[in-house]
Amino acid sequence: MTEPKLKIWTDGACKFNPGPGGWGAILVYNGIEKELSGGENETTNNRMELMAAIAAMEALKEPCEIVLTSDSKYLVDAINKGWLDSWRERGWKKADKSPVLNVELWQRISTLLEIHKATF
């Protein structure tokens, strides 16, 4: 197996939920590291977890093969268990027909995953 081109570590956090929160990402390519961070005054932990992954992938200038590591079960399960694909196929509705939370962020992730080959 060949070494992945790019490794990304992400995390998000929130004081209170909702409340002020922040996210961070570390991208490593050929031993070179880049750190990204941001935050919002009124947000949730899940939104910050998603924003970390989005910001990392949006920072890439060309399609990449990525290994993205996150402690967010919400993010990882949505990708690895096929929830994201199902939500998109159902018009951004969950199995119980209720709307997907954070839909605008999931739509951004979906678009980015069409550009980048990512393993979570």
Side-chain angles (χ1 to χ4, degrees):
M1 186 170 167
T2 62
E3 185 68 22
K5 292 186 177 189
L6 177 66
K7 293 182 181 178
I8 300 173
W9 287 267
T10 65
D11 201 6
C14 192
K15 183 176 182 178
F16 310 114
N17 205 21
W23 57 265
I26 300 172
L27 294 76
V28 179
Y29 178 77
N30 277 343
I32 299 169
E33 290 187 18
K34 180 174 184 167
E35 294 183 17
L36 304 172
S37 62
E40 296 177 19
N41 290 328
E42 188 71 13
T43 190
T44 64
N45 186 72
N46 283 341
R47 290 185 67 82
M48 292 295 91
E49 295 283 3
L50 298 177
M51 279 306 304
I54 290 167
M57 289 189 283
E58 285 182 346
L60 304 175
K61 294 180 175 31
E62 60 187 54
C64 293
E65 183 179 339
I66 300 165
V67 173
L68 193 147
T69 302
S70 171
D71 67 350
S72 171
K73 187 168 175 52
Y74 181 54
L75 172 62
V76 174
D77 283 355
I79 305 300
N80 290 338
K81 293 185 176 183
W83 301 347
L84 179 61
D85 294 333
S86 295
W87 296 337
R88 186 178 50 242
E89 290 166 8
R90 286 193 293 264
W92 300 102
K93 302 279 186 204
K94 297 188 286 186
D96 67 3
K97 305 216 186 328
S98 65
V100 171
L101 299 176
N102 304 306
V103 67
E104 75 284 1
L105 300 181
W106 286 115
Q107 290 169 336
R108 287 169 70 183
I109 289 172
S110 180
T111 299
L112 289 162
L113 293 176
E114 292 174 10
I115 298 167
H116 306 292
K117 181 181 177 190
T119 303
F120 285 73

